[in-house]
């Protein structure tokens, strides 16, 4: 998933992912691998929160679904 921050003062966004509800999910930063940002998967809400501190930056996340069957 690509996430970018262009202009504005908001550093954090909340990305709903209803297709991942009820599934185990792992999220890791794919590019740049050493990029400055914070992210958290909210399992109960099936949402990913991402905070990118600097404007005009983007990140690519790798999201894996692990079915529990």
């Amino acid at each position: 998933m690509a996430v970018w921050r262009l202009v504005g003062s908001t550093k954090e966004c909340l990305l709903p992912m209803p297709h991942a509800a009820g599934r185990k999910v792992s999220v890791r930063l794919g590019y740049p691998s050493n990029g400055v940002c914070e992210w958290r998967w909210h399992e109960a809400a099936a949402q990913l929160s991402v905070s990118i501190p600097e404007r005009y930056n983007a990140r690519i996340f790798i999201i894996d679904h692990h079915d529990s069957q």
Side-chain angles (χ1 to χ4, degrees):
M1 173 180 284
V3 180
W4 57 94
R5 177 178 178 206
L6 297 178
V7 297
S9 60
T10 304
K11 298 176 184 179
E12 186 172 14
C13 65
L14 193 57
L15 306 163
M17 299 178 62
H19 63 280
R23 300 171 83 180
K24 290 288 185 187
V25 173
S26 62
V27 180
R28 61 188 166 96
L29 184 59
Y31 184 84
S33 61
N34 61 349
V36 177
C37 73
E38 295 180 14
W39 67 93
R40 180 173 174 228
W41 174 249
H42 304 274
E43 185 174 344
Q47 297 177 331
L48 176 64
S49 62
V50 177
S51 178
I52 301 174
E54 299 285 329
R55 287 189 269 175
Y56 304 106
N57 274 278
R59 301 291 182 264
I60 295 176
F61 292 93
I62 299 167
I63 301 170
D64 292 309
H65 298 209
H66 307 281
D67 291 323
S68 57
Q69 296 180 7

Short mmCIF file of all heavy atoms in Angstrom, two decimals:
data_model
loop_
_atom_site.label_atom_id
_atom_site.label_comp_id
_atom_site.label_asym_id
_atom_site.label_seq_id
_atom_site.Cartn_x
_atom_site.Cartn_y
_atom_site.Cartn_z
N MET A 1 0.84 -1.15 0.00
CA MET A 1 0.00 0.00 0.00
C MET A 1 0.90 1.23 0.00
O MET A 1 1.86 1.30 0.77
CB MET A 1 -0.90 0.01 1.22
CG MET A 1 -1.69 1.30 1.36
SD MET A 1 -2.75 1.33 2.80
CE MET A 1 -4.04 0.27 2.24
N ALA A 2 0.62 2.16 -0.88
CA ALA A 2 1.38 3.41 -0.93
C ALA A 2 0.64 4.48 -0.14
O ALA A 2 -0.58 4.62 -0.25
CB ALA A 2 1.55 3.86 -2.37
N VAL A 3 1.38 5.19 0.71
CA VAL A 3 0.83 6.28 1.52
C VAL A 3 1.75 7.47 1.34
O VAL A 3 2.97 7.33 1.40
CB VAL A 3 0.77 5.89 3.01
CG1 VAL A 3 0.20 7.01 3.84
CG2 VAL A 3 -0.01 4.60 3.20
N TRP A 4 1.18 8.63 1.10
CA TRP A 4 2.02 9.81 0.95
C TRP A 4 1.45 10.98 1.70
O TRP A 4 0.25 11.05 1.96
CB TRP A 4 2.24 10.15 -0.52
CG TRP A 4 0.98 10.39 -1.30
CD1 TRP A 4 0.37 11.58 -1.54
CD2 TRP A 4 0.18 9.41 -1.94
NE1 TRP A 4 -0.77 11.41 -2.27
CE2 TRP A 4 -0.91 10.06 -2.54
CE3 TRP A 4 0.26 8.02 -2.06
CZ2 TRP A 4 -1.90 9.40 -3.25
CZ3 TRP A 4 -0.73 7.36 -2.76
CH2 TRP A 4 -1.77 8.06 -3.35
N ARG A 5 2.34 11.89 2.04
CA ARG A 5 1.97 13.15 2.69
C ARG A 5 2.53 14.26 1.82
O ARG A 5 3.73 14.34 1.59
CB ARG A 5 2.57 13.23 4.08
CG ARG A 5 2.25 14.56 4.73
CD ARG A 5 2.79 14.68 6.12
NE ARG A 5 2.47 16.01 6.62
CZ ARG A 5 3.14 16.63 7.55
NH1 ARG A 5 4.16 16.03 8.11
NH2 ARG A 5 2.79 17.83 7.93
N LEU A 6 1.65 15.12 1.37
CA LEU A 6 2.09 16.23 0.53
C LEU A 6 2.11 17.52 1.34
O LEU A 6 3.15 17.90 1.85
CB LEU A 6 1.19 16.35 -0.70
CG LEU A 6 1.22 15.13 -1.63
CD1 LEU A 6 0.25 15.31 -2.79
CD2 LEU A 6 2.62 14.87 -2.12
N VAL A 7 1.02 18.21 1.44
CA VAL A 7 0.96 19.48 2.17
C VAL A 7 0.03 19.34 3.36
O VAL A 7 -0.64 18.34 3.52
CB VAL A 7 0.48 20.64 1.26
CG1 VAL A 7 1.45 20.86 0.13
CG2 VAL A 7 -0.90 20.35 0.72
N GLY A 8 0.00 20.35 4.19
CA GLY A 8 -0.89 20.34 5.34
C GLY A 8 -0.17 19.99 6.62
O GLY A 8 0.96 19.53 6.62
N SER A 9 -0.87 20.23 7.72
CA SER A 9 -0.25 20.01 9.02
C SER A 9 -0.56 18.63 9.60
O SER A 9 0.02 18.24 10.60
CB SER A 9 -0.73 21.08 10.00
OG SER A 9 -2.15 21.01 10.13
N THR A 10 -1.45 17.88 8.96
CA THR A 10 -1.81 16.56 9.47
C THR A 10 -0.74 15.55 9.11
O THR A 10 -0.45 15.32 7.95
CB THR A 10 -3.17 16.10 8.88
OG1 THR A 10 -4.15 17.08 9.19
CG2 THR A 10 -3.58 14.77 9.45
N LYS A 11 -0.16 14.95 10.14
CA LYS A 11 0.91 13.97 9.94
C LYS A 11 0.38 12.55 9.89
O LYS A 11 1.03 11.66 9.36
CB LYS A 11 1.92 14.07 11.08
CG LYS A 11 2.61 15.39 11.17
CD LYS A 11 3.53 15.45 12.36
CE LYS A 11 4.14 16.82 12.47
NZ LYS A 11 5.01 16.94 13.63
N GLU A 12 -0.79 12.33 10.48
CA GLU A 12 -1.30 10.96 10.62
C GLU A 12 -2.57 10.76 9.80
O GLU A 12 -3.39 11.66 9.67
CB GLU A 12 -1.60 10.65 12.08
CG GLU A 12 -2.00 9.22 12.30
CD GLU A 12 -2.11 8.84 13.76
OE1 GLU A 12 -2.15 9.73 14.62
OE2 GLU A 12 -2.19 7.64 14.03
N CYS A 13 -2.69 9.56 9.25
CA CYS A 13 -3.92 9.19 8.56
C CYS A 13 -4.34 7.81 9.04
O CYS A 13 -3.52 7.01 9.50
CB CYS A 13 -3.76 9.23 7.04
SG CYS A 13 -2.60 8.02 6.39
N LEU A 14 -5.63 7.56 8.95
CA LEU A 14 -6.20 6.28 9.35
C LEU A 14 -6.83 5.66 8.12
O LEU A 14 -7.69 6.25 7.47
CB LEU A 14 -7.25 6.52 10.44
CG LEU A 14 -7.75 5.31 11.20
CD1 LEU A 14 -6.59 4.57 11.87
CD2 LEU A 14 -8.74 5.76 12.25
N LEU A 15 -6.36 4.47 7.76
CA LEU A 15 -6.78 3.81 6.53
C LEU A 15 -7.62 2.58 6.84
O LEU A 15 -7.10 1.56 7.32
CB LEU A 15 -5.54 3.41 5.73
CG LEU A 15 -4.57 4.56 5.46
CD1 LEU A 15 -3.22 4.05 5.06
CD2 LEU A 15 -5.15 5.46 4.40
N PRO A 16 -8.93 2.63 6.59
CA PRO A 16 -9.77 1.47 6.84
C PRO A 16 -9.50 0.37 5.81
O PRO A 16 -9.31 0.65 4.63
CB PRO A 16 -11.19 2.01 6.72
CG PRO A 16 -11.09 3.27 5.95
CD PRO A 16 -9.68 3.78 6.12
N MET A 17 -9.46 -0.86 6.28
CA MET A 17 -9.23 -2.01 5.41
C MET A 17 -10.24 -3.09 5.78
O MET A 17 -9.90 -4.13 6.36
CB MET A 17 -7.79 -2.50 5.58
CG MET A 17 -6.77 -1.43 5.20
SD MET A 17 -5.07 -1.94 5.44
CE MET A 17 -4.96 -3.32 4.33
N PRO A 18 -11.52 -2.88 5.43
CA PRO A 18 -12.56 -3.81 5.86
C PRO A 18 -12.37 -5.24 5.35
O PRO A 18 -12.83 -6.18 5.99
CB PRO A 18 -13.85 -3.19 5.32
CG PRO A 18 -13.42 -2.24 4.26
CD PRO A 18 -12.04 -1.79 4.63
N HIS A 19 -11.69 -5.41 4.24
CA HIS A 19 -11.44 -6.76 3.72
C HIS A 19 -10.53 -7.57 4.63
O HIS A 19 -10.45 -8.79 4.51
CB HIS A 19 -10.84 -6.69 2.31
CG HIS A 19 -9.51 -6.01 2.27
ND1 HIS A 19 -9.39 -4.64 2.28
CD2 HIS A 19 -8.27 -6.51 2.24
CE1 HIS A 19 -8.11 -4.33 2.26
NE2 HIS A 19 -7.41 -5.44 2.24
N ALA A 20 -9.84 -6.91 5.56
CA ALA A 20 -8.93 -7.61 6.48
C ALA A 20 -9.57 -7.87 7.84
O ALA A 20 -8.92 -8.41 8.73
CB ALA A 20 -7.66 -6.78 6.66
N ALA A 21 -10.84 -7.52 8.00
CA ALA A 21 -11.52 -7.74 9.28
C ALA A 21 -11.53 -9.23 9.62
O ALA A 21 -11.79 -10.07 8.77
CB ALA A 21 -12.94 -7.20 9.21
N GLY A 22 -11.19 -9.53 10.87
CA GLY A 22 -11.20 -10.91 11.33
C GLY A 22 -10.01 -11.73 10.90
O GLY A 22 -9.97 -12.94 11.14
N ARG A 23 -9.04 -11.11 10.26
CA ARG A 23 -7.84 -11.83 9.80
C ARG A 23 -6.62 -11.32 10.54
O ARG A 23 -6.55 -10.16 10.93
CB ARG A 23 -7.65 -11.62 8.30
CG ARG A 23 -8.84 -12.11 7.49
CD ARG A 23 -8.73 -11.69 6.06
NE ARG A 23 -7.87 -12.63 5.34
CZ ARG A 23 -7.59 -12.50 4.05
NH1 ARG A 23 -8.06 -11.49 3.35
NH2 ARG A 23 -6.81 -13.38 3.46
N LYS A 24 -5.65 -12.19 10.71
CA LYS A 24 -4.36 -11.77 11.25
C LYS A 24 -3.61 -11.03 10.15
O LYS A 24 -3.53 -11.50 9.01
CB LYS A 24 -3.53 -12.95 11.73
CG LYS A 24 -4.08 -13.60 12.95
CD LYS A 24 -3.86 -12.70 14.13
CE LYS A 24 -4.30 -13.37 15.41
NZ LYS A 24 -4.24 -12.45 16.53
N VAL A 25 -3.06 -9.89 10.48
CA VAL A 25 -2.37 -9.05 9.50
C VAL A 25 -1.02 -8.64 10.06
O VAL A 25 -0.89 -8.32 11.24
CB VAL A 25 -3.23 -7.78 9.19
CG1 VAL A 25 -2.48 -6.82 8.32
CG2 VAL A 25 -4.53 -8.18 8.54
N SER A 26 -0.01 -8.66 9.21
CA SER A 26 1.29 -8.09 9.57
C SER A 26 1.62 -6.99 8.57
O SER A 26 1.31 -7.11 7.38
CB SER A 26 2.38 -9.16 9.59
OG SER A 26 2.55 -9.73 8.32
N VAL A 27 2.20 -5.93 9.10
CA VAL A 27 2.53 -4.76 8.27
C VAL A 27 3.99 -4.43 8.48
O VAL A 27 4.48 -4.40 9.61
CB VAL A 27 1.67 -3.54 8.67
CG1 VAL A 27 2.00 -2.34 7.82
CG2 VAL A 27 0.18 -3.86 8.58
N ARG A 28 4.69 -4.21 7.36
CA ARG A 28 6.09 -3.78 7.47
C ARG A 28 6.35 -2.72 6.42
O ARG A 28 5.69 -2.66 5.37
CB ARG A 28 7.06 -4.94 7.36
CG ARG A 28 7.01 -5.68 6.07
CD ARG A 28 7.89 -6.94 6.14
NE ARG A 28 7.59 -7.83 5.05
CZ ARG A 28 8.28 -7.88 3.92
NH1 ARG A 28 9.32 -7.09 3.73
NH2 ARG A 28 7.93 -8.70 2.97
N LEU A 29 7.32 -1.89 6.70
CA LEU A 29 7.70 -0.84 5.77
C LEU A 29 8.54 -1.44 4.66
O LEU A 29 9.56 -2.07 4.90
CB LEU A 29 8.49 0.24 6.52
CG LEU A 29 8.89 1.47 5.72
CD1 LEU A 29 7.67 2.19 5.15
CD2 LEU A 29 9.70 2.42 6.60
N GLY A 30 8.10 -1.25 3.43
CA GLY A 30 8.81 -1.80 2.29
C GLY A 30 9.78 -0.82 1.66
O GLY A 30 10.90 -1.18 1.32
N TYR A 31 9.35 0.44 1.52
CA TYR A 31 10.22 1.43 0.89
C TYR A 31 9.89 2.82 1.39
O TYR A 31 8.71 3.16 1.48
CB TYR A 31 10.05 1.40 -0.63
CG TYR A 31 11.00 2.34 -1.33
CD1 TYR A 31 12.29 1.96 -1.62
CD2 TYR A 31 10.60 3.63 -1.65
CE1 TYR A 31 13.17 2.83 -2.23
CE2 TYR A 31 11.48 4.50 -2.27
CZ TYR A 31 12.76 4.11 -2.56
OH TYR A 31 13.63 4.96 -3.14
N PRO A 32 10.87 3.60 1.70
CA PRO A 32 12.25 3.19 1.90
C PRO A 32 12.36 2.40 3.19
O PRO A 32 11.70 2.72 4.17
CB PRO A 32 13.03 4.50 1.96
CG PRO A 32 12.05 5.51 2.45
CD PRO A 32 10.70 5.05 1.95
N SER A 33 13.16 1.39 3.19
CA SER A 33 13.24 0.48 4.33
C SER A 33 13.71 1.17 5.61
O SER A 33 13.42 0.70 6.70
CB SER A 33 14.14 -0.71 4.02
OG SER A 33 15.46 -0.27 3.75
N ASN A 34 14.40 2.27 5.47
CA ASN A 34 14.87 3.02 6.65
C ASN A 34 14.14 4.35 6.79
O ASN A 34 14.61 5.26 7.45
CB ASN A 34 16.37 3.25 6.57
CG ASN A 34 16.77 4.08 5.35
OD1 ASN A 34 15.95 4.32 4.45
ND2 ASN A 34 18.00 4.51 5.30
N GLY A 35 12.98 4.47 6.15
CA GLY A 35 12.22 5.73 6.20
C GLY A 35 11.70 6.03 7.59
O GLY A 35 11.34 5.13 8.35
N VAL A 36 11.64 7.31 7.91
CA VAL A 36 11.14 7.75 9.21
C VAL A 36 9.61 7.85 9.13
O VAL A 36 9.09 8.64 8.35
CB VAL A 36 11.75 9.10 9.61
CG1 VAL A 36 11.16 9.59 10.91
CG2 VAL A 36 13.26 9.00 9.70
N CYS A 37 8.95 7.02 9.91
CA CYS A 37 7.50 7.07 10.03
C CYS A 37 7.09 6.08 11.11
O CYS A 37 7.89 5.25 11.54
CB CYS A 37 6.79 6.79 8.71
SG CYS A 37 6.83 5.09 8.19
N GLU A 38 5.85 6.20 11.53
CA GLU A 38 5.30 5.27 12.50
C GLU A 38 4.03 4.68 11.91
O GLU A 38 3.31 5.36 11.18
CB GLU A 38 4.99 5.98 13.81
CG GLU A 38 6.21 6.50 14.51
CD GLU A 38 5.87 7.21 15.82
OE1 GLU A 38 4.73 7.07 16.31
OE2 GLU A 38 6.75 7.90 16.33
N TRP A 39 3.77 3.44 12.22
CA TRP A 39 2.53 2.81 11.77
C TRP A 39 2.09 1.81 12.81
O TRP A 39 2.88 1.31 13.61
CB TRP A 39 2.70 2.14 10.41
CG TRP A 39 3.61 0.97 10.40
CD1 TRP A 39 3.26 -0.35 10.55
CD2 TRP A 39 5.02 0.97 10.27
NE1 TRP A 39 4.35 -1.16 10.50
CE2 TRP A 39 5.48 -0.36 10.32
CE3 TRP A 39 5.98 1.98 10.09
CZ2 TRP A 39 6.81 -0.71 10.21
CZ3 TRP A 39 7.31 1.63 9.99
CH2 TRP A 39 7.70 0.30 10.05
N ARG A 40 0.77 1.52 12.77
CA ARG A 40 0.21 0.56 13.72
C ARG A 40 -1.03 -0.06 13.09
O ARG A 40 -1.88 0.65 12.54
CB ARG A 40 -0.16 1.26 15.02
CG ARG A 40 -0.74 0.33 16.04
CD ARG A 40 -0.94 1.01 17.38
NE ARG A 40 -1.63 0.09 18.26
CZ ARG A 40 -2.67 0.40 18.99
NH1 ARG A 40 -3.14 1.63 18.98
NH2 ARG A 40 -3.25 -0.49 19.73
N TRP A 41 -1.12 -1.37 13.18
CA TRP A 41 -2.29 -2.08 12.73
C TRP A 41 -3.26 -2.19 13.90
O TRP A 41 -2.91 -2.67 14.97
CB TRP A 41 -1.92 -3.47 12.21
CG TRP A 41 -3.12 -4.28 11.87
CD1 TRP A 41 -3.58 -5.38 12.53
CD2 TRP A 41 -4.03 -4.04 10.80
NE1 TRP A 41 -4.71 -5.85 11.94
CE2 TRP A 41 -5.02 -5.03 10.87
CE3 TRP A 41 -4.12 -3.08 9.80
CZ2 TRP A 41 -6.07 -5.09 9.96
CZ3 TRP A 41 -5.17 -3.14 8.90
CH2 TRP A 41 -6.13 -4.14 8.99
N HIS A 42 -4.50 -1.76 13.68
CA HIS A 42 -5.56 -1.84 14.69
C HIS A 42 -6.46 -3.01 14.30
O HIS A 42 -7.36 -2.86 13.46
CB HIS A 42 -6.35 -0.52 14.74
CG HIS A 42 -5.49 0.67 14.98
ND1 HIS A 42 -5.15 1.09 16.25
CD2 HIS A 42 -4.87 1.51 14.12
CE1 HIS A 42 -4.37 2.16 16.16
NE2 HIS A 42 -4.19 2.43 14.88
N GLU A 43 -6.18 -4.15 14.90
CA GLU A 43 -6.84 -5.39 14.50
C GLU A 43 -8.36 -5.33 14.68
O GLU A 43 -9.12 -5.72 13.79
CB GLU A 43 -6.27 -6.57 15.30
CG GLU A 43 -6.82 -7.90 14.87
CD GLU A 43 -6.13 -9.05 15.57
OE1 GLU A 43 -5.05 -8.87 16.15
OE2 GLU A 43 -6.70 -10.16 15.52
N ALA A 44 -8.82 -4.86 15.82
CA ALA A 44 -10.27 -4.85 16.10
C ALA A 44 -11.04 -3.99 15.10
O ALA A 44 -12.17 -4.33 14.73
CB ALA A 44 -10.53 -4.36 17.52
N ALA A 45 -10.44 -2.91 14.64
CA ALA A 45 -11.11 -2.00 13.71
C ALA A 45 -10.74 -2.26 12.26
O ALA A 45 -11.30 -1.63 11.36
CB ALA A 45 -10.78 -0.55 14.08
N ALA A 46 -9.79 -3.14 12.02
CA ALA A 46 -9.26 -3.41 10.67
C ALA A 46 -8.83 -2.11 10.00
O ALA A 46 -9.26 -1.77 8.90
CB ALA A 46 -10.27 -4.17 9.82
N GLN A 47 -7.96 -1.38 10.71
CA GLN A 47 -7.46 -0.10 10.20
C GLN A 47 -5.95 0.00 10.41
O GLN A 47 -5.42 -0.50 11.39
CB GLN A 47 -8.12 1.08 10.93
CG GLN A 47 -9.60 1.16 10.72
CD GLN A 47 -10.23 2.28 11.51
OE1 GLN A 47 -9.74 2.66 12.57
NE2 GLN A 47 -11.31 2.83 10.99
N LEU A 48 -5.31 0.69 9.50
CA LEU A 48 -3.89 0.97 9.60
C LEU A 48 -3.72 2.47 9.84
O LEU A 48 -4.24 3.28 9.08
CB LEU A 48 -3.17 0.57 8.30
CG LEU A 48 -1.68 0.88 8.21
CD1 LEU A 48 -0.89 0.09 9.25
CD2 LEU A 48 -1.16 0.59 6.81
N SER A 49 -3.01 2.82 10.91
CA SER A 49 -2.69 4.23 11.12
C SER A 49 -1.23 4.43 10.71
O SER A 49 -0.37 3.61 11.00
CB SER A 49 -2.92 4.64 12.57
OG SER A 49 -2.10 3.92 13.46
N VAL A 50 -1.00 5.52 10.01
CA VAL A 50 0.33 5.86 9.51
C VAL A 50 0.62 7.31 9.84
O VAL A 50 -0.23 8.19 9.63
CB VAL A 50 0.43 5.65 7.98
CG1 VAL A 50 1.79 6.08 7.47
CG2 VAL A 50 0.15 4.20 7.62
N SER A 51 1.81 7.57 10.35
CA SER A 51 2.24 8.93 10.64
C SER A 51 3.56 9.19 9.91
O SER A 51 4.55 8.49 10.14
CB SER A 51 2.44 9.12 12.15
OG SER A 51 2.91 10.42 12.42
N ILE A 52 3.54 10.18 9.03
CA ILE A 52 4.74 10.58 8.28
C ILE A 52 5.06 12.01 8.70
O ILE A 52 4.31 12.94 8.41
CB ILE A 52 4.49 10.50 6.76
CG1 ILE A 52 4.10 9.07 6.35
CG2 ILE A 52 5.74 10.95 5.99
CD1 ILE A 52 3.70 8.92 4.90
N PRO A 53 6.16 12.22 9.41
CA PRO A 53 6.44 13.53 9.99
C PRO A 53 6.79 14.63 8.98
O PRO A 53 6.48 15.79 9.20
CB PRO A 53 7.60 13.28 10.95
CG PRO A 53 8.22 12.00 10.50
CD PRO A 53 7.15 11.22 9.81
N GLU A 54 7.42 14.27 7.89
CA GLU A 54 7.87 15.27 6.92
C GLU A 54 6.91 15.38 5.74
O GLU A 54 6.45 14.37 5.23
CB GLU A 54 9.26 14.90 6.39
CG GLU A 54 10.33 14.85 7.45
CD GLU A 54 10.77 16.22 7.92
OE1 GLU A 54 10.74 17.16 7.11
OE2 GLU A 54 11.14 16.33 9.11
N ARG A 55 6.64 16.60 5.30
CA ARG A 55 5.82 16.80 4.10
C ARG A 55 6.58 16.37 2.85
O ARG A 55 7.80 16.26 2.86
CB ARG A 55 5.41 18.26 3.97
CG ARG A 55 4.36 18.63 5.01
CD ARG A 55 3.83 19.98 4.73
NE ARG A 55 4.65 20.93 5.48
CZ ARG A 55 4.54 22.24 5.39
NH1 ARG A 55 3.66 22.78 4.58
NH2 ARG A 55 5.29 23.02 6.10
N TYR A 56 5.85 16.11 1.79
CA TYR A 56 6.40 15.70 0.50
C TYR A 56 7.21 14.40 0.62
O TYR A 56 8.32 14.29 0.11
CB TYR A 56 7.23 16.81 -0.14
CG TYR A 56 6.43 18.08 -0.30
CD1 TYR A 56 6.65 19.17 0.54
CD2 TYR A 56 5.44 18.16 -1.26
CE1 TYR A 56 5.90 20.32 0.41
CE2 TYR A 56 4.69 19.32 -1.40
CZ TYR A 56 4.92 20.39 -0.56
OH TYR A 56 4.17 21.53 -0.69
N ASN A 57 6.62 13.44 1.33
CA ASN A 57 7.24 12.12 1.51
C ASN A 57 6.20 11.05 1.27
O ASN A 57 5.00 11.29 1.43
CB ASN A 57 7.81 11.97 2.92
CG ASN A 57 9.20 12.51 3.04
OD1 ASN A 57 10.14 11.82 2.67
ND2 ASN A 57 9.34 13.74 3.53
N ALA A 58 6.66 9.88 0.93
CA ALA A 58 5.78 8.74 0.72
C ALA A 58 6.43 7.49 1.29
O ALA A 58 7.65 7.43 1.46
CB ALA A 58 5.50 8.54 -0.76
N ARG A 59 5.59 6.52 1.59
CA ARG A 59 6.06 5.23 2.08
C ARG A 59 5.25 4.14 1.39
O ARG A 59 4.08 4.32 1.07
CB ARG A 59 5.87 5.10 3.59
CG ARG A 59 6.59 6.15 4.42
CD ARG A 59 8.09 5.96 4.36
NE ARG A 59 8.79 6.92 5.18
CZ ARG A 59 9.31 8.06 4.74
NH1 ARG A 59 9.17 8.40 3.47
NH2 ARG A 59 9.95 8.88 5.54
N ILE A 60 5.88 2.99 1.21
CA ILE A 60 5.20 1.82 0.69
C ILE A 60 5.24 0.75 1.78
O ILE A 60 6.31 0.43 2.31
CB ILE A 60 5.84 1.31 -0.60
CG1 ILE A 60 5.68 2.37 -1.70
CG2 ILE A 60 5.21 -0.01 -1.03
CD1 ILE A 60 6.35 2.03 -2.99
N PHE A 61 4.07 0.23 2.10
CA PHE A 61 3.94 -0.80 3.13
C PHE A 61 3.60 -2.13 2.49
O PHE A 61 2.86 -2.20 1.51
CB PHE A 61 2.83 -0.42 4.13
CG PHE A 61 3.20 0.76 4.97
CD1 PHE A 61 2.82 2.04 4.58
CD2 PHE A 61 3.92 0.60 6.14
CE1 PHE A 61 3.16 3.14 5.35
CE2 PHE A 61 4.27 1.70 6.90
CZ PHE A 61 3.89 2.98 6.51
N ILE A 62 4.14 -3.18 3.06
CA ILE A 62 3.83 -4.53 2.65
C ILE A 62 2.89 -5.11 3.71
O ILE A 62 3.21 -5.12 4.90
CB ILE A 62 5.10 -5.38 2.53
CG1 ILE A 62 6.00 -4.75 1.45
CG2 ILE A 62 4.76 -6.84 2.21
CD1 ILE A 62 7.39 -5.29 1.44
N ILE A 63 1.72 -5.52 3.26
CA ILE A 63 0.69 -6.00 4.17
C ILE A 63 0.41 -7.46 3.83
O ILE A 63 0.04 -7.79 2.71
CB ILE A 63 -0.58 -5.16 4.03
CG1 ILE A 63 -0.25 -3.68 4.34
CG2 ILE A 63 -1.68 -5.68 4.97
CD1 ILE A 63 -1.35 -2.72 4.00
N ASP A 64 0.63 -8.32 4.82
CA ASP A 64 0.40 -9.74 4.64
C ASP A 64 -0.80 -10.16 5.48
O ASP A 64 -0.89 -9.79 6.67
CB ASP A 64 1.62 -10.56 5.07
CG ASP A 64 2.80 -10.35 4.15
OD1 ASP A 64 2.61 -10.47 2.93
OD2 ASP A 64 3.90 -10.08 4.66
N HIS A 65 -1.69 -10.96 4.88
CA HIS A 65 -2.85 -11.51 5.59
C HIS A 65 -2.54 -12.95 5.93
O HIS A 65 -2.08 -13.70 5.07
CB HIS A 65 -4.08 -11.47 4.69
CG HIS A 65 -4.49 -10.09 4.30
ND1 HIS A 65 -5.78 -9.77 4.03
CD2 HIS A 65 -3.79 -8.95 4.13
CE1 HIS A 65 -5.86 -8.50 3.70
NE2 HIS A 65 -4.66 -7.99 3.75
N HIS A 66 -2.78 -13.30 7.16
CA HIS A 66 -2.52 -14.66 7.62
C HIS A 66 -3.85 -15.25 8.08
O HIS A 66 -4.30 -14.96 9.19
CB HIS A 66 -1.52 -14.68 8.78
CG HIS A 66 -0.26 -13.93 8.44
ND1 HIS A 66 0.75 -14.46 7.68
CD2 HIS A 66 0.14 -12.67 8.76
CE1 HIS A 66 1.71 -13.56 7.56
NE2 HIS A 66 1.37 -12.48 8.20
N ASP A 67 -4.47 -16.04 7.24
CA ASP A 67 -5.74 -16.66 7.62
C ASP A 67 -5.51 -17.66 8.72
O ASP A 67 -4.54 -18.42 8.70
CB ASP A 67 -6.39 -17.35 6.42
CG ASP A 67 -6.86 -16.34 5.39
OD1 ASP A 67 -7.33 -15.26 5.79
OD2 ASP A 67 -6.75 -16.62 4.19
N SER A 68 -6.40 -17.67 9.68
CA SER A 68 -6.25 -18.57 10.85
C SER A 68 -7.08 -19.84 10.65
O SER A 68 -7.98 -20.14 11.40
CB SER A 68 -6.70 -17.84 12.11
OG SER A 68 -8.03 -17.38 11.96
N GLN A 69 -6.76 -20.59 9.60
CA GLN A 69 -7.47 -21.84 9.35
C GLN A 69 -6.51 -22.98 9.21
O GLN A 69 -5.40 -22.87 8.90
CB GLN A 69 -8.30 -21.73 8.08
CG GLN A 69 -9.39 -20.70 8.23
CD GLN A 69 -10.21 -20.57 6.95
OE1 GLN A 69 -10.06 -21.34 6.01
NE2 GLN A 69 -11.08 -19.60 6.93
#
